[in-house]
Amino acid sequence: MTGSVDVVAGGDRPVTVVVADDHPLWRDAVARDLTEAGLSVVATASDGPGAVNRTKATRPDVLVLDLNLPGLAGHEVCRAVGGLETRVLILSASGEHQDVLDAVKAGATGYLVKSASSPEIIEAVRATARGEAVFTPGLAGLVLGEFRRISSEPPQEAGREVPELTARETEVLKLVATGMSYKEIAAELFISHRTVQNHVQNTLGKLQLHNRVELVRFAIARGLETPTA
């Protein structure tokens, strides 16, 4: 329907997407709309475990995820793919505040209700691929208020020592906390993209954290995101 193709920032390949929803007509319609808009739908899934497996296998730029999937709930899927660079956009019938907060705390970077129009969904996926946080109107303020509340509390991790992290893991953690992508970190440290991912996965396991959102919070609480002179 359009002759243009959405590409990743600074690259020449199409934005890749996995669509996970247990309603086949809705799932197929979203996948078709995204494809016609120039994005590349690399896989679809009808349940939670399938969403995790397909996301890990294809490593898309964006996972469009229904919140209520059989086998594994949406927030559990978010945690399971938290070590990847894939950004998660929740597309749910629920606009309940607690559902929104649970999803964001689990690692989702955006949240739309299914009443959104097709153009709104397409633009939300594009924005998510660019690293922007996208929310249905009225929900952004809710999320911002919650994170302001959390940031005003004394950080529990501030005095926590992490001698179990290697020097390289700590170095990668600092760069993750500044918002750099895995590709940018790899270029900065002259290591491979996969090596960066391995360091992040190891760090998540050692710190008993679930995703990059929690990793960034931990680093900020310890002042690791502040550049050293």
Side-chain angles (χ1 to χ4, degrees):
M1 191 170 290
T2 176
S4 62
V5 176
D6 281 277
V7 297
V8 292
D12 57 1
R13 66 172 178 80
V15 172
T16 53
V17 187
V18 167
V19 179
D21 196 292
D22 62 335
H23 293 89
L25 293 179
W26 174 268
R27 181 179 66 246
D28 293 346
V30 171
R32 182 185 63 248
D33 289 346
L34 294 175
T35 300
E36 291 180 350
L39 296 95
S40 176
V41 177
V42 295
T44 62
S46 60
D47 57 27
V52 173
N53 292 337
R54 286 169 175 77
T55 300
K56 288 185 174 181
T58 60
R59 297 178 181 267
D61 300 305
V62 180
L63 167 61
V64 178
L65 179 67
D66 182 30
L67 203 59
N68 298 308
L69 290 175
L72 206 61
H75 68 276
E76 295 175 303
V77 173
C78 287
R79 294 187 188 281
V81 301
L84 306 179
E85 260 194 293
T86 298
R87 297 182 174 99
V88 180
L89 173 65
I90 299 295
L91 191 55
S92 174
S94 171
E96 292 294 325
H97 289 184
Q98 194 57 53
D99 287 340
V100 178
L101 294 177
D102 287 346
V104 172
K105 289 176 182 178
T109 57
Y111 194 110
L112 286 188
V113 295
K114 286 185 175 179
S115 57
S117 67
S118 178
E120 288 173 333
I121 293 172
I122 292 168
E123 181 51 38
V125 174
R126 288 171 172 157
T128 300
R130 294 192 297 266
E132 301 173 18
V134 182
F135 292 92
T136 291
L139 296 182
L142 167 74
V143 175
L144 181 59
E146 176 67 7
F147 279 99
R148 281 175 175 166
R149 182 190 68 78
I150 292 174
S151 65
S152 67
E153 297 176 348
Q156 296 179 353
E157 297 97 340
R160 179 178 170 186
E161 295 299 325
V162 286
E164 68 271 21
L165 292 186
T166 66
R168 180 63 94 185
E169 287 167 349
T170 301
E171 193 173 19
V172 170
L173 175 58
K174 289 179 179 179
L175 295 178
V176 169
T178 66
M180 293 176 68
S181 70
Y182 292 175
K183 184 179 293 185
E184 291 169 335
I185 294 172
E188 176 76 16
L189 300 180
F190 301 101
I191 58 179
S192 71
H193 182 278
R194 179 56 61 89
T195 299
V196 174
Q197 289 181 319
N198 289 340
H199 283 313
V200 170
Q201 289 283 12
N202 290 340
T203 302
L204 287 170
K206 288 180 178 180
L207 300 181
Q208 298 183 350
L209 302 176
H210 300 93
N211 52 56
R212 284 179 298 164
V213 174
E214 293 183 0
L215 201 60
V216 170
R217 286 184 196 152
F218 177 86
I220 291 174
R222 302 189 73 249
L224 293 180
E225 90 291 1
T226 304
T228 55

